Amino acid sequence: MAEGRDGEEGELRYADIGINLTDPTYHGFYNHHSTPSHPPDLPSVLARAASIGVRKFMVTGSDLEQSIQAIELAKRYPGRCYATVGVHPCSAGGFEGGGRGEGGEKGEGGEKGGGGENGGGKGGGKGGEKGEELLKELEKVAREGMEGGWVVAFGELGVDFDRLGLCKREVQERWFERQVEVAVKVCFCIFLIPLVGDFGWEAMFEAISVCAAALCLFTRFPILSPLPNPIKNHTSLSPPPPPSPSTKLTPPPPKLQLPLFLHSRAAHTTFLRILTPHLPSLPRLGLVHSFTGSLPEMQELVSLGFHIGINGCSLKTQENLDVVRE
């Protein structure tokens, strides 16, 4: 039994941490049809979820436009919806003038199939000014959203070699690394802080979300270390001397404090090759969403400090079920 908000038994507390509420289906549009099949029903969806204990929703940003839409939803439903900001690997072509599904490649999926072996790369290579402008805009949107309390994670970003028809592998790799570099620069590091007010500090410091696109039960595993005690860590309670009038104080730029919301599909080796060099600069890491990898891959990610998200895609095969069982 999960504890309820006030400690009573029987009330389950869920959060959906990977929900695509910006999808047109919530406005009645299906399969790119211009005529809606039904009126917008997002309020009804949220109400039904609340009736079974789903308290929070982390709305996924898969590109810049959807990230902005996710923030608008967070503003419309404060305290219930929160947003991520980032570009999904299948949409990474947008950094180079394309879009989702444009500039893909034919061939076998997976890390050994389908063309380009050249990955990584820094800004200033392919994509040029357009890609760098998009990165700057992502950072700006994430920073403003975090300061407003609407953005709680940076992503969804990563690599997906099962769907190379949507975006070439070298494009995915290049812009995954560039997005991670943005995350490092602005120090995305703390997870779920906006949820603290509703659940309490002690509970939230012990909570970890374990489902991505499906409902996620907060279980009692550590995800955050306690905040430092400001009194205990000071050798003296005396205030510091004031600066002299001639001293000009320049406050440091604010740092974003968010985790990574990650995607890795049939690309484990490449995923870690790009991400591992940056781990010392990402002390709070994040979550690998919609996990479909093998048991050794899951164990390696956990050993590095990542959390694992499961959803329907994680439950399709016996191997998937064995991983989830572990």
Side-chain angles (χ1 to χ4, degrees), residues 124-298:
K126 294 182 180 179
E129 292 183 2
K130 179 177 176 60
E132 294 305 311
E133 289 172 2
L134 178 53
L135 279 177
K136 290 178 181 178
E137 188 64 21
L138 281 173
E139 180 181 342
K140 178 176 179 287
V141 169
R143 190 178 295 280
E144 292 176 352
M146 183 268 178
E147 291 170 354
W150 306 303
V151 173
V152 295
F154 189 60
E156 180 178 357
L157 61 150
V159 278
D160 187 324
F161 293 167
D162 262 353
R163 291 179 281 184
L164 292 175
L166 295 176
C167 185
K168 293 180 180 179
R169 71 174 62 215
E170 60 265 30
V171 175
Q172 292 187 35
E173 293 179 35
R174 179 160 44 249
W175 295 105
F176 175 36
E177 183 163 19
R178 292 295 288 120
Q179 288 186 87
V180 172
E181 289 170 355
V182 170
V184 168
K185 182 175 69 172
V186 293
C187 191
F188 294 95
C189 59
I190 299 200
F191 188 33
L192 293 175
I193 291 301
L195 309 188
V196 168
D198 208 39
F199 290 118
W201 284 103
E202 182 178 354
M204 290 310 302
F205 275 133
E206 296 178 351
I208 171 174
S209 312
V210 295
C211 280
L215 298 181
C216 161
L217 173 63
F218 285 125
T219 55
R220 299 182 70 80
F221 291 97
I223 185 169
L224 297 176
S225 56
L227 290 177
N229 186 319
I231 296 178
K232 181 179 178 181
N233 291 338
H234 279 275
T235 56
S236 171
L237 297 180
S238 301
S244 65
S246 61
T247 302
K248 183 178 180 180
L249 298 179
T250 303
K255 290 183 177 181
L256 294 181
Q257 296 183 332
L258 301 172
L260 300 181
F261 188 54
L262 296 160
H263 181 105
S264 175
R265 188 70 54 81
H268 180 75
T269 301
T270 302
F271 178 77
L272 286 185
R273 173 177 60 77
I274 293 171
L275 196 56
T276 300
H278 301 287
L279 296 186
S281 301
L282 294 167
R284 300 290 169 79
L285 301 177
L287 180 141
V288 182
H289 148 75
S290 186
F291 186 76
T292 60
S294 67
L295 180 58
E297 289 171 354
M298 182 272 285

